Amino acid sequence: MPDSEHTRVRFLTILFGSNDACFVEAKNGQHVPLDVYKDNLAKLVTHPSVKAHGARLVPLTPPLVEERRLEHRVKSQGYTELNRTNERTKQYADISRQLANDMGVGCVDLWKLFMTKSGWKEGQPLPGSIDQPENDTLRGLVHDGLHLTPEAYKLF
C-alpha cells in the first residue's frame, strides 16, 4: 500500500478466498484452513496501512465455481482431479460475510450475488456443482470455472 504521507487511498476492496478454498489434499498447495483464512482477512481489515489512510474497506466474498469447467481447467494443468467445489467455496464466502458483519464493514457478497442470478435459493442444491444440471447463467459468469468473465464484473 502506498505511503499515507504521499497519497490517500479512499476505498480498498479485498477479494481472496477462491484459491484458499482448495482441498487440503489438492496438489497445487493453495489450501488455507478456514480459521487461518479468517485470521488473515481480519489482519487485512485492521492493517495499520489501512488505518493510516482511513480507507473505506470493502471485502468481497470469493465467488462461486463452476465445477465442470473447473475440472477441465485443472486437468489441462496436469492435475488428476477437481481441487475445490462450490460447497467448499461457500464456506469461505460465509466466513468472509460473517467477519465483515462482526467487524462492522460492508461486504460485497459475490458468492450469493452470482448464485441468486443463477436462480438458486437457500436450501436448494448448488448450481455449478458437478452433480447438478449445467447452468447457463453460471457458465456466463466464470469462463474457466473459476475466473470471472466481463459479464460477471458488470454485476458489481
Side-chain angles (χ1 to χ4, degrees):
M1 200 164 192
D3 185 336
S4 62
E5 291 183 25
H6 297 101
T7 188
R8 182 162 180 251
V9 176
R10 292 184 185 167
F11 295 93
L12 178 65
T13 60
I14 298 175
L15 169 57
F16 77 117
S18 297
N19 291 330
D20 306 72
C22 284
F23 299 129
V24 173
E25 62 276 4
K27 304 283 189 240
N28 63 9
Q30 295 177 321
H31 171 75
V32 174
L34 274 168
D35 60 330
V36 174
Y37 170 78
K38 182 179 180 180
D39 289 345
N40 289 343
L41 184 55
K43 287 175 186 172
L44 287 172
V45 170
T46 59
H47 194 277
S49 293
V50 173
K51 299 292 183 193
H53 282 272
R56 185 162 187 186
L57 188 75
V58 183
L60 292 86
T61 67
L64 58 89
V65 295
E66 203 288 332
E67 294 173 17
R68 280 181 191 80
R69 284 191 177 182
L70 183 58
E71 183 177 49
H72 176 74
R73 178 180 185 267
V74 298
K75 287 184 175 179
S76 75
Q77 295 172 327
Y79 300 109
T80 58
E81 58 192 14
L82 194 61
N83 57 16
R84 73 199 88 192
T85 61
N86 249 344
E87 184 61 42
R88 180 91 178 141
T89 303
K90 181 182 184 303
Q91 294 172 358
Y92 286 73
D94 290 346
I95 289 287
S96 299
R97 187 182 319 106
Q98 184 60 51
L99 182 69
N101 185 60
D102 292 350
M103 298 185 87
V105 297
C107 178
V108 176
D109 194 344
L110 295 179
W111 196 91
K112 192 171 247 179
L113 173 69
F114 294 168
M115 291 303 263
T116 301
K117 178 103 173 128
S118 77
W120 176 78
K121 293 185 179 27
E122 195 75 42
Q124 293 180 335
L126 301 176
S129 299
I130 210 157
D131 61 347
Q132 293 300 307
E134 290 190 56
N135 184 297
D136 289 337
T137 300
L138 294 186
R139 291 177 68 90
L141 297 175
V142 286
H143 69 86
D144 62 357
L146 178 64
H147 297 102
L148 305 181
T149 63
E151 194 62 37
Y153 282 107
K154 291 176 186 175
L155 295 176
F156 69 100

